[in-house]
Amino acid sequence: MTYLKSVRNVFALFLCLFALAAQAQTAAPAKLPNVVILATGGTIAGTGATSTTTVGYTAATVGVDALIKAVPELQKVAHVSGEQVFQIASENMGNEQWLSLAKRVNALLAQPNVDGIVITHGTDTIEETAYFLNLVVKSRKPVVVVGAMRPSTAISADGPINLYNAVLTAGSLEAVGKGVLVVMNDQINAAREVTKTNTVTTDTFKSPELGMLGYVVGNQPHFYRASTRKHTVDTEFDISKLDTLPAVDIAYTYANVGPTAVNAFVAAGVKGLVHAGVGDGSLPTKVRPALSSARAKGVIVVRSSRVGQGIVARNGEANDDELDFVVSDTLNPQKARILLMLALTKTNNTKEIQRMFYTY
Ligand code: DGL
């Protein structure tokens, strides 16, 4: 009886293995992710007079369908669809475009059949748009912002490979929950830390000191780090009902600077002012009274630094407790402006706003 039982068990096992093998052979090919490309313009959509024109070209001339058509390899890695949301050089990106783009991103990501989004964008303000989206996108799905430093008509244009890598990343499970990413030059950078470091070269985007998150190599993203600051679904900001953002400007500091810019911004009615100080956010004695007066009029003042890296320490170069100022932590002035604008949609309380600068 035992012998018969063991023969029966072996036979049953064989049948199961055969069924599994047959199923595997007929299994459908791996399902490709659905990635939507939102095109906004920039050099990636730019054209030059000749194939060697890499400066002096026209940005924002090629449409999203042509960008997708120029990279047929995209079809092998994702089901790609495109929308032309704007067609502008990114130095002209503004609050209105950011709100419209963010609302479209959130609407698309709420759809179960959308797995990720790529935004093609001019590189001049890519870091700002990426950081704004990092604070207002309400999904863990990947959002990847991508650009190019050479126009589409140039020899060795970097746009096609950047777009391919961006779509790969946006369609990947590895990028889920990582926050908004900038993917260019085979590298993956976090929206919070990435910045443009060179006016013309293709390796311009870096996260100096704090470092990039990983690479796109061999047709897939490789992550080695993740941002420790809150982003996307973990932020307290909601732009769904906003049509405008509070006016916040940046006053740049340099040797011999006076209060003219600060006074002009206050007279123009700003709600917040970022001081791009020298060094650790130092306040020149000719500017300090103007900033104190701005604060007294209800303007929220954030001390940042033109240096771009390192912590702007509270009560370091100025007595922030006494002045009732906020410090930007490690955010550069252009990103401090973005966080301050969103903070002002929630509160005017400087202690609350300082908490936000230590959170995001
Ligand atoms: N006008 C610049 C912009 O649209 C061109 C730079 C670029 O896109 O690389 O940001």
Side-chain angles (χ1 to χ4, degrees):
M1 192 52 183
T2 314
Y3 173 70
L4 276 179
K5 212 173 172 182
S6 61
V7 167
R8 195 176 59 231
N9 288 346
V10 167
F11 186 65
L13 178 64
F14 172 74
L15 279 179
C16 288
L17 289 173
F18 179 78
L20 282 172
Q23 188 186 20
Q25 277 174 348
T26 56
K31 177 182 171 305
L32 290 179
N34 296 317
V35 174
V36 179
I37 297 177
L38 300 180
T40 74
T43 294
I44 194 168
T47 47
T50 73
S51 62
T52 55
T53 305
T54 55
V55 290
Y57 54 81
T58 307
T61 57
V62 178
V64 64
D65 293 338
L67 291 177
I68 294 171
K69 197 171 171 206
V71 189
E73 294 81 359
L74 293 176
Q75 308 308 324
K76 295 177 191 161
V77 296
H79 295 302
V80 172
S81 60
E83 292 182 15
Q84 192 76 44
V85 286
F86 320 119
Q87 185 67 292
I88 60 173
S90 78
E91 60 268 31
N92 299 318
M93 195 63 77
N95 295 353
E96 184 188 338
Q97 284 82 11
W98 281 349
L99 287 168
S100 161
L101 179 61
K103 288 171 184 173
R104 185 61 186 144
V105 167
N106 280 327
L108 284 167
L109 291 179
Q111 295 174 18
N113 63 337
V114 173
D115 298 305
I117 287 181
V118 166
I119 297 165
T120 60
H121 194 290
T123 60
D124 288 359
T125 60
I126 217 172
E127 66 193 77
E128 296 181 52
T129 300
Y131 186 53
F132 177 74
L133 293 172
N134 202 47
L135 296 170
V136 301
V137 164
K138 293 305 167 190
S139 170
R140 290 173 46 79
K141 294 177 182 176
V143 174
V144 177
V145 195
V146 64
M149 293 301 288
R150 296 174 183 150
S152 63
T153 45
I155 304 170
S156 302
D158 54 329
I161 187 64
N162 285 347
L163 181 59
Y164 177 74
N165 285 344
V167 168
L168 271 176
T169 306
S172 74
L173 293 176
E174 295 87 342
V176 171
K178 292 288 195 307
V180 174
L181 305 170
V182 173
V183 172
M184 282 181 65
N185 192 40
D186 303 333
Q187 298 179 353
I188 305 169
N189 280 283
R192 184 184 186 278
E193 282 84 31
V194 71
T195 190
K196 190 171 186 177
T197 63
N198 185 290
T199 55
V200 293
T201 57
T202 54
D203 66 345
T204 182
F205 282 101
K206 300 192 188 319
S207 299
E209 295 188 350
L210 294 176
M212 64 176 140
L213 303 186
Y215 305 99
V216 186
V217 169
N219 296 305
Q220 68 179 53
H222 304 268
F223 284 91
Y224 299 87
R225 296 186 338 96
S227 182
T228 59
R229 289 297 174 95
K230 286 188 177 179
H231 54 70
T232 57
V233 292
D234 295 328
T235 80
E236 57 204 278
F237 307 114
D238 175 5
I239 50 89
S240 59
K241 296 182 178 59
L242 294 181
D243 295 320
T244 59
L245 290 167
V248 175
D249 279 296
I250 303 171
Y252 199 78
T253 297
Y254 41 87
N256 199 43
V257 68
T260 307
V262 171
N263 292 337
F265 283 135
V266 174
V270 296
K271 301 298 181 200
L273 195 54
V274 174
H275 179 253
V278 291
D280 189 16
S282 307
L283 292 184
T285 48
K286 287 190 277 186
V287 175
R288 186 188 294 257
L291 287 171
S292 293
S293 163
R295 183 70 198 101
K297 291 172 183 166
V299 175
I300 302 296
V301 175
V302 173
R303 281 199 307 116
S304 182
S305 172
R306 71 179 197 181
V307 168
Q309 308 310 321
I311 292 176
V312 175
R314 189 169 177 83
N315 298 321
E317 285 294 337
N319 189 330
D320 298 299
D321 290 348
E322 191 179 287
L323 292 161
D324 196 25
F325 289 174
V326 174
V327 288
S328 69
D329 190 49
T330 61
L331 287 179
N332 64 27
Q334 55 269 31
K335 290 184 180 177
R337 169 180 173 269
I338 292 165
L339 181 50
L340 180 52
M341 278 197 299
L342 288 169
L344 288 169
T345 67
K346 303 284 290 182
T347 178
N348 277 307
N349 179 298
T350 50
K351 286 182 176 44
E352 267 298 280
I353 295 172
Q354 185 65 78
R355 171 190 59 77
M356 294 174 184
F357 273 85
Y358 288 146
T359 304
Y360 301 111

